Amino acid sequence: MSDATLSAADLAVTRKSGRFLYGASVVLLCAWVLVPLYFLLINTLSAPATVNSFPKPFFPPFDLSSLQFFAQFQGMTTALINSLIVATMTMCLSILIGAPAGYALSRFDFRGKEMFRLLILLTRAFPLPLLALPLAVAFIRTGLDDTAFGLALIHTTLAIPFAVLITFSLFSGIPVEIEEAAWTLGCTRLTAFTRVVLPLILPGITASAIFAFVISWNEVFAAAVLTIENRTLPAFLLQTLAESPMHLKFAGGFILVVPALIFIFAVRKYLFAMWGIANR
C-alpha cells in the first residue's frame, strides 16, 4: 500500500476516534447534570419508605406527601417570595452597576486599569464568613439587618465582579468604530450606547443577569446570618431540614432547584443567542 493510502486510512481512524470521544464527552456531561436531577425528582415524588429502600425501582410509585408537607408548612411561601425579591434586586443592581463599569473598562484608558480589573476579581478572594461579624454589626447600626434590601446588597457585591468582567468582554467584542459612526450621525455617547451597542450585547447582559440571579438564589450563609424573620428559601430550608428525615431533604432540594431551572428555561433564547446556538 502507498503512503497516501496509509495516510488516508490513519486520517479516517483519527476522525472516527475524535467523533467517539466527542460523543462520549457529551454523554458524560449530560449524565453529570441529569442523573442528580433524576434522583432528586424520583426521591421527591416517592413514598418515604421507598426513599430509604435499596435497591430503588427505576420508576417508583409516586407519592406527593413530601411536597404536600412543604406546601402546608408555615413560612414556606414567605421564604420563597423573599428569595424571589432578593434575587431580582440582586440581578438588577448587579447589571446597573456592573454594565457601566464594564463599558468604562472597555472604552476608556486610565492609569491602573489592569490593576483595577485584578482588584475587582480579588474581591471574591475574601471569604464571606470572615466578614460576617463586621457586616452584621454595620447592618444592625444602619437598620439594614433582616431586610431584603440589605441582603440584596450583600448578594450584589458577590455578583458584581462577574458582571463587570462579563460585560467588559462583551463591550470589548463590539468595535468602537460602530459607536463612532453613530456619533457622526448625530447620536450622543448615551444614545449610541442605548440604540446601537446595547441591542448587540443584550444576550450577554441577560446571561450576566441570570448568573447574578443564580448566585443570589443559592447563597445561604449571609441569608442565615443577617436575617431572622425574613429568611430566604435556602436559609429557611437549612434551618428547617437540619434534623429532618431524608425524604423531606430531597423535597426541600427539589423546591430549591425548580424555580431557578424555570427562570433559566424562560430566558434560554438569550443564552443560546449569546453562544451562537440559535438566532431566534
Side-chain angles (χ1 to χ4, degrees), residues 133-260:
L133 182 58
L135 283 175
V137 173
F139 274 46
I140 291 173
R141 289 179 177 177
T142 56
L144 290 175
D145 61 303
D146 202 18
T147 62
F149 180 70
L151 186 58
L153 290 179
I154 299 298
H155 291 177
T156 301
T157 59
L158 298 176
I160 276 181
F162 298 102
V164 172
L165 296 179
I166 290 174
T167 53
F168 166 75
S169 300
L170 294 171
F171 288 122
S172 298
I174 303 297
V176 69
E177 289 80 9
I178 295 180
E179 288 185 81
E180 293 174 348
W183 298 343
T184 60
L185 296 176
C187 292
T188 63
R189 182 178 289 275
L190 179 60
T191 55
F193 173 80
T194 55
R195 295 182 181 181
V196 178
V197 178
L198 188 59
L200 294 176
I201 66 166
L202 185 59
I205 293 290
T206 305
S208 179
I210 294 171
F211 194 76
F213 182 92
V214 173
I215 287 178
S216 175
W217 185 268
N218 292 331
E219 201 282 325
V220 63
F221 182 81
V225 172
L226 299 176
T227 59
I228 299 176
E229 298 293 334
N230 298 313
R231 292 189 182 275
T232 58
L233 187 60
F236 179 80
L237 291 176
L238 178 66
Q239 179 187 16
T240 305
L241 301 178
E243 303 297 334
S244 299
M246 188 62 67
H247 65 280
L248 293 181
K249 292 182 179 179
F250 277 112
F254 178 80
I255 294 172
L256 184 61
V257 168
V258 166

Side-chain angles (χ1 to χ4, degrees), residues 15-252:
R15 289 178 176 176
K16 185 176 181 180
S17 301
R19 287 194 295 268
F20 174 78
L21 290 176
Y22 176 78
S25 300
V26 171
V27 171
L28 287 176
L29 287 175
C30 292
W32 179 267
V33 175
L34 296 178
V35 169
L37 293 177
Y38 164 77
F39 281 111
L40 183 64
L41 175 64
I42 290 300
N43 286 304
T44 299
L45 301 179
S46 299
T50 305
V51 173
N52 298 319
S53 64
F54 187 84
K56 298 179 183 295
F58 192 78
F59 290 108
F62 287 162
D63 188 328
L64 301 179
S65 58
S66 298
L67 292 177
Q68 291 173 354
F69 171 82
F70 280 104
Q72 301 170 359
F73 196 79
Q74 184 178 4
M76 186 70 188
T77 304
T78 303
L80 178 60
I81 294 174
N82 289 337
S83 283
L84 291 174
I85 292 174
V86 172
T88 302
M89 286 195 295
T90 301
M91 182 176 60
C92 295
L93 288 173
S94 64
I95 294 303
L96 289 176
I97 299 173
Y103 180 81
L105 286 173
S106 174
R107 290 295 188 257
F108 302 105
D109 292 324
F110 52 89
R111 183 177 299 178
K113 176 180 177 179
E114 298 301 323
M115 180 60 66
F116 181 71
R117 288 176 55 192
L118 180 61
L119 290 176
I120 290 175
L121 190 59
L122 287 179
T123 56
R124 291 305 306 267
F126 292 95
L128 193 57
L130 184 65
L131 305 175
L133 182 58
L135 283 175
V137 173
F139 274 46
I140 291 173
R141 289 179 177 177
T142 56
L144 290 175
D145 61 303
D146 202 18
T147 62
F149 180 70
L151 186 58
L153 290 179
I154 299 298
H155 291 177
T156 301
T157 59
L158 298 176
I160 276 181
F162 298 102
V164 172
L165 296 179
I166 290 174
T167 53
F168 166 75
S169 300
L170 294 171
F171 288 122
S172 298
I174 303 297
V176 69
E177 289 80 9
I178 295 180
E179 288 185 81
E180 293 174 348
W183 298 343
T184 60
L185 296 176
C187 292
T188 63
R189 182 178 289 275
L190 179 60
T191 55
F193 173 80
T194 55
R195 295 182 181 181
V196 178
V197 178
L198 188 59
L200 294 176
I201 66 166
L202 185 59
I205 293 290
T206 305
S208 179
I210 294 171
F211 194 76
F213 182 92
V214 173
I215 287 178
S216 175
W217 185 268
N218 292 331
E219 201 282 325
V220 63
F221 182 81
V225 172
L226 299 176
T227 59
I228 299 176
E229 298 293 334
N230 298 313
R231 292 189 182 275
T232 58
L233 187 60
F236 179 80
L237 291 176
L238 178 66
Q239 179 187 16
T240 305
L241 301 178
E243 303 297 334
S244 299
M246 188 62 67
H247 65 280
L248 293 181
K249 292 182 179 179
F250 277 112

